[in-house]
């Protein structure tokens, strides 16, 4: 509504304007942004000019709104096997792929233009930091405000004794925030073998020693050896009967002492 040039009250068409602002990822998200607007008609009132009645028309009240840019709020979840700490060390085994669950979530929220609390739209992304290691992979399982990936490391014959460190992290999909890197050191354990589906002691013995005497493997694994990684084989047909990776001994490690020789 407005007053016309003769001072008579009249109904007018309602004008509206939508302001859409998409903040750039580099915006200063710890401050508020103030946006103001004012409306005027096209009815000049030169007889009584003041701040609102001018030769350009009648100006209404100034309306302002404050916009708060809510940054991402990323956290590693309790379901994530790694991430909460900065450094991890794990044993891996030939020839299985050792897998670890990584899970990060976005916890941010804010208020919309009518004061209703809403969740932030950011989605976590799990990535390697730097060059991806040749033997490691990240496979996406689910995406959303909670992202889950499987970190796998597959060691092959010849990698025994290898030690490798690589890092990963979580960031938001708009690349505003990135968590500090988490680094994993994997050690390919020597003189052990990770049993695969279909493996038998006889087949494993042929592969690692070209020997058909599988009883040697049974003897090396028939008693508790105090190693948390290896499992005791009470019966040669008991391979792969646990949900955990079944690791068996295929040799022994000897620490060389002064004066030893291979003669």
């Amino acid at each position: 509504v407005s007053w016309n040039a003769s001072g008579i009250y009249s109904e007018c068409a309602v004008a509206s304007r939508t302001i859409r602002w998409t903040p750039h990822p580099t915006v200063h998200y710890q401050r508020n942004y103030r946006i103001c607007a004012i409306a005027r008609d096209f009815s000049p009132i030169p007889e009584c000019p003041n701040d609102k009645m001018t030769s350009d028309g009648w100006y209404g009240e100034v309306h302002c709104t404050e916009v708060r840019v809510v940054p991402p709020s990323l956290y590693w979840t309790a379901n994530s096997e790694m991430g909460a700490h900065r450094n991890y060390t794990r044993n891996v085994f030939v020839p299985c792929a050792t897998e670890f669950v990584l899970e990060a979530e976005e916890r941010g929220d804010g208020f919309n233009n009518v004061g209703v609390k809403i969740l932030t739209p950011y989605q976590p992304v799990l990535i390697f930091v730097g060059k991806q290691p040749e033997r490691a992979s990240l496979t996406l399982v689910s995406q959303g405000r909670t992202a889950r990936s499987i970190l796998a490391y597959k060691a092959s014959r010849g990698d025994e004794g290898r030690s490798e460190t690589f890092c990963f992290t979580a960031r938001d999909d708009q690349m505003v925030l990135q968590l500090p890197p988490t680094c994993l050191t994997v050690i390919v354990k020597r003189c052990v073998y990770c049993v695969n589906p279909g493996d038998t002691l006889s087949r494993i013995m042929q592969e690692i020693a070209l020997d058909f005497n599988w009883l040697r493997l049974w003897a090396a694994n028939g008693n508790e050896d105090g190693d948390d990684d290896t499992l005791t084989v009470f019966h040669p047909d008991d391979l792969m009967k646990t949900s955990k990776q079944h690791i068996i001994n295929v040799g022994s490690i000897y620490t060389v002492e002064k004066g030893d020789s291979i003669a």
Side-chain angles (χ1 to χ4, degrees):
V1 297
S2 68
W3 296 89
N4 63 19
S6 302
I8 300 176
Y9 178 78
S10 65
E11 293 286 344
C12 296
V14 176
S16 65
R17 178 158 299 192
T18 299
I19 299 175
R20 183 182 298 274
W21 178 48
T22 301
H24 190 270
T26 60
V27 73
H28 194 331
Y29 54 76
Q30 292 183 333
R31 58 168 289 187
N32 290 355
Y33 293 84
R34 187 176 180 86
I35 301 174
C36 297
I38 190 171
R40 71 170 175 85
D41 62 17
F42 291 93
S43 302
I45 309 178
E47 293 84 0
C48 48
N50 60 34
D51 291 342
K52 294 185 177 180
M53 293 185 294
T54 70
S55 58
D56 294 326
W58 176 284
Y59 282 84
E61 300 292 337
V62 176
H63 292 274
C64 295
T65 184
E66 284 195 351
V67 177
R68 181 170 66 96
V69 181
V70 180
S73 182
L74 296 179
Y75 294 87
W76 294 105
T77 72
N79 296 324
S80 188
E81 295 183 61
M82 297 182 185
H85 303 290
R86 298 294 296 277
N87 296 284
Y88 295 82
T89 300
R90 295 290 186 271
N91 291 330
V92 296
F93 314 96
V94 173
C96 294
T98 304
E99 298 182 344
F100 309 96
V101 176
L102 303 183
E103 189 176 86
E105 65 178 347
E106 163 63 21
R107 300 180 184 175
D109 55 47
F111 295 90
N112 64 11
N113 60 330
V114 294
V116 176
K117 190 175 183 179
I118 58 174
L119 300 178
T120 52
Y122 305 110
Q123 295 186 7
V125 179
L126 303 175
I127 58 172
F128 285 111
V129 176
K131 184 179 179 181
Q132 177 177 338
E134 180 182 351
R135 295 166 177 79
S137 63
L138 271 175
T139 303
L140 181 65
V141 176
S142 60
Q143 184 71 54
R145 279 178 61 85
T146 299
R148 170 178 285 205
S149 291
I150 299 297
L151 171 62
Y153 189 94
K154 184 173 177 59
S156 302
R157 290 289 303 275
D159 288 337
E160 293 87 349
R162 177 186 179 88
S163 176
E164 183 176 11
T165 300
F166 54 90
C167 303
F168 56 89
T169 188
R171 63 165 175 81
D172 69 280
D173 57 338
Q174 299 300 313
M175 294 185 290
V176 176
L177 176 67
Q178 181 170 300
L179 295 179
T182 296
C183 295
L184 169 64
T185 298
V186 294
I187 300 172
V188 184
K189 200 165 182 179
R190 293 179 294 173
C191 298
V192 295
Y193 181 90
C194 179
V195 179
N196 282 303
D199 274 343
T200 63
L201 292 180
S202 177
R203 195 205 69 77
I204 296 172
M205 193 65 182
Q206 292 177 51
E207 178 180 342
I208 64 175
L210 300 178
D211 190 337
F212 289 91
N213 190 358
W214 57 268
L215 291 173
R216 296 181 184 178
L217 282 183
W218 191 13
N221 294 278
N223 297 294
E224 175 60 46
D225 60 2
D227 189 336
D228 292 336
D229 290 328
T230 58
L231 297 179
T232 303
V233 180
F234 295 103
H235 191 280
D237 293 332
D238 283 346
L239 299 183
M240 296 297 294
K241 286 191 176 181
T242 64
S243 58
K244 180 182 177 182
Q245 282 183 327
H246 197 148
I247 312 301
I248 62 172
N249 294 305
V250 294
S252 58
I253 298 176
Y254 178 79
T255 303
V256 178
E257 297 181 356
K258 186 178 181 180
D260 284 347
S261 70
I262 58 175

